Amino acid sequence: MAHSAVGVIFSNIHDENVPELSRHRTMASIPFGGRYRLIDFALSNMVNSGITTVGIVTKNNYQSLIDHLGSGKEWDLARKDGGIILLPPYSDETDAPYTTRLEALMSITGFLNHRNEDYVVISDCDGIARVDINDILRFHEEKGADITMVYHRETTPVESSYFITLQPDETGRLKGLQINPKLKKGPFNLYVNIMVMSREFLINTIQDAVTRGLSSFGRDILTKHVDTLKLYGYEFGGYFATMSSVGDYYSHSMELLRKDVRDELFGARDIYTKVRDSAPSKYGDTAVVRNSLISDGCVIEGEVENCILFRGVKVGKGSVVKNSIIMQDTVIGSNVTLDCVITDKNVVIRDRRHLAGCESLPYFVGKGRML
Amino acid sequence: MQRKKECVAMLLAGGQGSRLYALTNNIAKPAVAFGAKYRIIDFPLSNCINSGIDTVGVLTQYEPLELNEYIGNGQPWDLDRAFGGVHILSPYQAKKKQSWFEGTANAIYQNISFMKKYNPEYVLILSGDHIYKMDYAQMLRAHKATHADCTIAAIEVPMKEASRFGILNCNPDGSIYQFEEKPKQPKSNLASMGIYIFTAEKLFKYLEADDANPDSSKDFGKDVLPAMLNAGERMFSYRFKGYWKDVGTIDSLWESNMDLLGEDSAFDVSDAAWKIHSRNPLAPPEYIGAKGVVRNSMVALGCEVEGSVEHSVLAANVVVEEGAVVRDSVLMAGTVVKKGARVEYSIVDENVVIEENAVVGEERGKGAGIAVLGRNITIGAGAKVAGSKILDKDYRGE
């Protein structure tokens, strides 16, 4: 491998963007695309780029994440040296658990010190993309950058409560960097929450921040040092989707029904995820399925159109499910109609219920609800 | 304290399965794909782990590479264990002699030292060519309750088919008084399922005696079991009621796949209380297109269906393009059916390409048998493969 890098994934940051979906779980473990969790994309990108050690920074609600990751073997990250290393919040008598990204990084200096890789790749879980991290590392080395931040050209404003835009010059060096700017119309360069720096640089930066009592990575380190540090922007030109709201979650899920999006995300390399040994999906005599993604373990006897069905979903006879995202083990009885609905895990919709939302505001049914 | 396992399973997986023709050209029968995501060996392996048996020797001989790779360290079946777990047992070169496994009994005999390492009280002998769900723990309880030396699982088959099986003639208490291998005039319809539990010391004794006997064909059914019966050992049948299918022929493999379909399917692989474990395909959910039709079928992950699929079983990453029709067929992983092509009443192995407007097989019920396409071949555009035909090479038409 040309570069040696260790991964750090923040599992909780941006949880507030999608409160409905993150109520019982971290951003990282939000289900996506029929059989994945958001973290699968960040983790698979790292694994497919040859990274074999990934620290996962957690803060709260991380039981479902631990359950999902297990020993890490599904990502080939059950390793003697490295592999998946969970980094839950660390606090002693004087310190409360971290509240910012910088404080979180301070709390994992032990992990960073013990590794021997040259670089650190830091990623959040709110983005869906197929990124080759070696390309970013190559760019980072060529530019002799201190920090390389990955961005994506966007044309429509984002709804995230916290986001960063970059202003690179023609060489890629950042002239400016803004946190939560007021955006009218695009295009603009949205930072996709993936950055690369040398491990040594990160450790020194953290130590410096501790001695000077800094608390925000974005405000105290990035924006303050645009002129003095060599900050570079790396443009990612492929498909990128960010989960800045439930509406975003809905529309990006629906984009998976496009062949070009599926081919880019799933075509070249595998996206790894936890397996559950479900049976293959069964389509009954009365099944009508059109333009839909169906995961394993489903039993379909009704009509399904423009939908994403997660593992183990049942659709009874005479039911019509359209434009909806139906999560794991949801049971839809018979003669039900659903349109623009998101059901979280283990929902039961009894016979003859009719629910509808609209594309900008899908009707959301919380985990384990029975209607 | 010496560590031990109460029961060790030995799975006979070395058979060629010659009656599956092109499907077993390069793989052992237990590695043949079944039910959209499984392989035949998933069933005995899952039965073992679900029955609490965590030590399994898999005896391989014919074309073992793919089977070995599939089993790997046994992790998908939770059979990667510090003590026990699944072990591949291939023929080996020994100090005194070297030999291939000569028969089912000889294969087990050559691995006596493997079994003895676990100091077992019982040995369960399984074969790798049956589709069924069975609790071996229950059979072991019966074996203990009858103080048997050997217990043979048996199932009732239709009387007119009984002459195709090894038949057990039993007393009312279940004890066996006679074996008949494929009898012309069967006295009973109780067929041996090829699943045996032996009290370990008896098994070792009879295997050693069988090995020393130059006239023996080294087969359980023909030699070891009759020898035990003649010597007056306690031999019992264990009645199994449930789905059991020998998938040793093209017809039975097709039927067994189709038994998964329908509302009250004859065989169910989705029982959460008796999971069938397997290696899982790394693939996104299947996509059914805007013009796709999928009815009365089972479809695995990664498939893309723009055409029409009826009464069929599609394994992972199968593509059925627009205007293509798949009916009454079993398509194994990675096969592509291009625009306007038609597949009827066929079994198509992995990674076959059926080019545009080609026709494979004949409509079921019109007299012809099942067409079979071996793996990695291409059927040319517009080519016609007749029903009953078995192909293992590219075919461009007449």
Side-chain angles (χ1 to χ4, degrees):
Chain A
M1 193 180 60
H3 315 273
S4 76
V6 57
V8 172
I9 293 180
F10 283 87
S11 64
N12 278 103
I13 288 181
H14 318 294
D15 281 4
E16 68 287 353
N17 285 344
V18 282
E20 297 90 334
L21 291 164
S22 63
R23 179 178 293 166
H24 301 288
R25 50 172 87 88
T26 61
M27 180 63 116
S29 50
I30 289 176
F32 185 79
R35 62 187 302 253
Y36 304 98
R37 305 289 182 130
L38 291 182
I39 195 173
D40 291 336
F41 293 86
L43 261 183
S44 298
N45 283 337
M46 289 186 178
V47 169
N48 287 334
S49 306
I51 291 174
T52 57
T53 300
V54 183
I56 296 178
V57 183
T58 64
K59 188 174 179 192
N60 37 38
N61 296 347
Y62 54 85
Q63 284 178 359
S64 69
L65 180 64
I66 290 177
D67 174 58
H68 180 66
L69 295 172
S71 67
K73 63 177 182 270
E74 316 295 0
W75 297 265
D76 201 17
L77 287 174
R79 301 291 182 107
K80 276 203 162 166
D81 175 31
I84 279 184
I85 295 171
L86 283 169
L87 302 166
Y90 176 88
S91 64
D92 56 27
E93 289 126 33
T94 52
D95 290 326
Y98 69 84
T99 54
T100 69
R101 185 191 297 274
L102 185 57
E103 287 172 9
L105 286 168
M106 289 171 183
S107 75
I108 65 162
T109 42
F111 166 73
L112 295 169
N113 279 324
H114 278 103
R115 299 308 309 170
N116 55 15
E117 286 85 353
D118 297 329
Y119 296 101
V120 182
V121 180
I122 298 177
S123 174
D124 296 347
C125 294
D126 60 322
I128 298 288
R130 164 63 45 121
V131 182
D132 187 338
I133 286 160
N134 286 321
D135 289 347
I136 307 167
L137 288 169
R138 218 169 288 129
F139 173 91
H140 182 82
E141 278 180 347
E142 273 168 24
K143 300 291 180 189
D146 291 320
I147 300 176
T148 296
M149 303 174 72
V150 182
Y151 67 84
H152 189 257
R153 294 281 272 182
E154 297 285 341
T155 46
T156 48
V158 286
E159 297 172 54
S160 298
S161 52
Y162 182 93
F163 65 97
I164 294 174
T165 60
L166 308 180
Q167 287 85 45
D169 66 15
E170 60 282 357
T171 66
R173 178 141 186 193
L174 299 187
K175 295 176 296 189
L177 179 154
Q178 291 174 296
I179 297 172
N180 293 346
K182 287 261 181 297
L183 295 168
K184 292 179 196 99
K185 279 210 171 122
F188 61 96
N189 301 318
L190 180 71
Y191 168 54
V192 303
N193 299 318
I194 299 173
M195 70 171 117
V196 165
M197 66 196 88
S198 78
R199 194 171 54 86
E200 194 188 348
F201 177 84
L202 177 60
I203 290 169
N204 291 341
T205 304
I206 294 169
Q207 271 167 1
D208 182 61
V210 170
T211 53
R212 296 200 285 133
L214 305 180
S215 64
S216 163
F217 200 87
R219 195 187 61 227
D220 298 335
I221 294 171
L222 296 175
T223 47
K224 278 235 178 84
H225 297 92
V226 170
D227 301 327
T228 50
L229 288 176
K230 282 189 274 181
L231 304 184
Y232 276 80
Y234 171 90
E235 182 175 357
F236 172 68
Y239 174 81
F240 173 76
T242 178
M243 304 298 147
S244 63
S245 66
V246 173
D248 257 7
Y249 174 85
Y250 176 82
S251 61
H252 292 315
S253 293
M254 289 301 164
E255 279 165 7
L256 293 174
L257 298 177
R258 275 166 42 193
K259 185 163 172 54
D260 58 322
V261 173
R262 280 200 313 280
D263 283 351
E264 182 173 338
L265 286 179
F266 306 118
R269 299 293 298 269
D270 296 316
I271 299 288
Y272 310 96
T273 189
K274 183 185 177 185
V275 300
R276 109 166 178 162
D277 281 349
S278 308
S281 284
K282 216 166 141 177
Y283 297 70
D285 248 339
T286 48
V288 177
V289 181
R290 276 191 296 260
N291 192 37
S292 294
L293 271 180
I294 313 290
S295 199
D296 42 352
C298 293
V299 178
I300 302 170
E301 290 177 334
E303 202 176 322
V304 175
E305 191 171 353
N306 306 332
C307 287
I308 315 262
L309 264 53
F310 282 67
R311 293 168 178 170
V313 168
K314 311 260 183 302
V315 180
K317 278 187 190 154
S319 288
V320 179
V321 185
K322 286 186 175 170
N323 310 310
S324 294
I325 299 169
I326 309 296
M327 287 189 202
Q328 198 166 309
D329 296 326
T330 289
V331 177
I332 297 169
S334 43
N335 302 310
V336 169
T337 60
L338 303 181
D339 190 5
C340 291
V341 172
I342 301 177
T343 68
D344 206 324
K345 282 174 70 175
N346 297 314
V347 164
V348 177
I349 313 252
R350 279 182 285 202
D351 297 353
R352 294 180 300 280
R353 295 289 186 273
H354 307 286
L355 298 176
C358 63
E359 277 165 26
S360 53
L361 192 65
Y363 188 96
F364 182 82
V365 186
K367 191 173 170 181
R369 294 283 300 277
M370 187 185 279
L371 296 178
Chain B
M1 193 190 87
Q2 191 185 8
R3 292 212 286 174
K4 62 176 287 153
K5 295 281 181 189
E6 187 190 28
C7 184
V8 168
M10 299 293 275
L11 205 167
L12 294 158
Q16 182 182 350
S18 55
R19 286 172 305 155
L20 290 176
Y21 303 98
L23 301 179
T24 51
N25 275 353
N26 310 105
I27 61 168
K29 183 157 65 168
V32 168
F34 174 84
K37 74 173 278 205
Y38 306 101
R39 290 176 188 257
I40 296 169
I41 198 166
D42 288 329
F43 293 86
L45 285 180
S46 298
N47 287 340
C48 279
I49 197 69
N50 291 340
S51 306
I53 294 169
D54 65 3
T55 306
V56 186
V58 178
L59 297 106
T60 66
Q61 175 153 293
Y62 174 79
E63 290 285 353
L65 297 182
E66 190 157 324
L67 183 61
N68 293 357
E69 189 189 342
Y70 185 69
I71 292 171
N73 68 351
Q75 182 269 325
W77 304 270
D78 204 15
L79 286 170
D80 53 335
R81 296 303 177 94
F83 180 64
V86 66
H87 296 265
I88 303 278
L89 304 170
S90 351
Y92 57 92
Q93 194 172 19
K95 189 157 188 178
K96 288 203 191 106
K97 59 172 184 179
Q98 48 181 306
S99 59
W100 295 98
F101 299 154
E102 283 162 34
T104 51
N106 178 256
I108 305 291
Y109 170 75
Q110 289 201 36
N111 290 289
I112 275 189
S113 57
F114 169 81
M115 294 179 278
K116 285 187 172 168
K117 198 170 68 180
Y118 297 100
N119 193 24
E121 278 161 60
Y122 307 100
V123 175
L124 167 67
I125 308 284
L126 301 168
S127 64
D129 40 16
H130 299 140
I131 300 293
Y132 65 111
K133 296 188 285 189
M134 178 172 174
D135 187 351
Y136 304 136
Q138 215 175 326
M139 180 172 167
L140 183 59
R141 279 196 290 277
H143 180 82
K144 290 180 195 168
T146 53
H147 303 285
D149 299 306
C150 174
T151 301
I152 302 173
I155 190 165
E156 284 180 27
V157 295
M159 204 66 195
K160 61 182 193 307
E161 288 175 30
S163 54
R164 288 174 37 218
F165 293 89
I167 294 297
L168 307 181
N169 295 322
C170 299
N171 298 311
D173 68 348
S175 62
I176 302 165
Y177 67 87
Q178 191 188 23
F179 294 113
E180 288 185 291
E181 190 64 26
K182 298 184 179 147
K184 289 210 173 66
Q185 251 103 45
K187 291 196 204 68
S188 123
N189 64 341
L190 201 57
S192 163
M193 297 163 67
I195 298 165
Y196 318 120
I197 289 178
F198 289 94
T199 301
E201 56 181 290
K202 292 280 181 180
L203 174 68
F204 299 156
K205 180 180 146 193
Y206 279 91
L207 285 178
E208 277 155 16
D210 181 66
D211 185 63
N213 176 5
D215 299 329
S216 167
S217 59
K218 314 270 192 276
D219 186 83
F220 270 103
K222 293 194 194 101
D223 307 293
V224 176
L225 299 176
M228 285 182 78
L229 196 64
N230 290 338
E233 304 289 0
R234 288 178 70 81
M235 304 188 77
F236 280 78
S237 63
Y238 169 79
R239 294 271 188 128
F240 175 74
K241 291 198 173 79
Y243 185 89
W244 177 79
K245 195 135 199 158
D246 181 334
V247 287
T249 65
I250 295 291
D251 285 315
S252 63
L253 181 65
W254 183 89
E255 278 166 25
S256 197
N257 272 286
M258 297 304 150
D259 284 343
L260 297 167
L261 306 180
E263 227 162 286
D264 285 308
S265 54
F267 189 55
D268 175 27
V269 284
S270 65
D271 182 359
W274 201 268
K275 265 199 178 181
I276 307 303
H277 305 281
S278 70
R279 272 189 202 280
N280 285 266
L282 266 173
E286 66 257 26
Y287 174 76
I288 313 300
K291 292 179 183 161
V293 175
V294 182
R295 267 200 298 263
N296 195 17
S297 292
M298 191 168 247
V299 180
L301 296 171
C303 289
E304 301 257 338
V305 180
E306 296 281 0
S308 157
V309 174
E310 271 183 80
H311 195 239
S312 293
V313 173
L314 269 53
N317 300 316
V318 165
V319 177
V320 179
E321 292 186 355
E322 208 177 314
V325 175
V326 175
R327 217 159 37 174
D328 300 316
S329 293
V330 177
L331 270 51
M332 296 183 191
T335 281
V336 179
V337 184
K338 296 210 172 155
K339 284 197 179 73
R342 191 171 189 85
V343 180
E344 299 261 10
Y345 199 33
S346 297
I347 298 181
V348 181
D349 206 340
E350 293 173 14
N351 300 315
V352 170
V353 178
I354 297 166
E355 296 284 2
E356 288 182 20
N357 302 315
V359 179
V360 175
E362 270 165 49
E363 218 174 302
R364 185 172 152 232
K366 292 281 168 76
I370 298 165
V372 178
L373 303 182
R375 56 175 57 189
N376 302 325
I377 66 172
T378 300
I379 303 303
K384 281 195 166 57
V385 177
S388 311
K389 192 104 180 159
I390 294 173
L391 286 181
D392 58 5
K393 289 194 179 65
D394 290 355
Y395 181 75
R396 305 272 162 210
E398 303 283 293

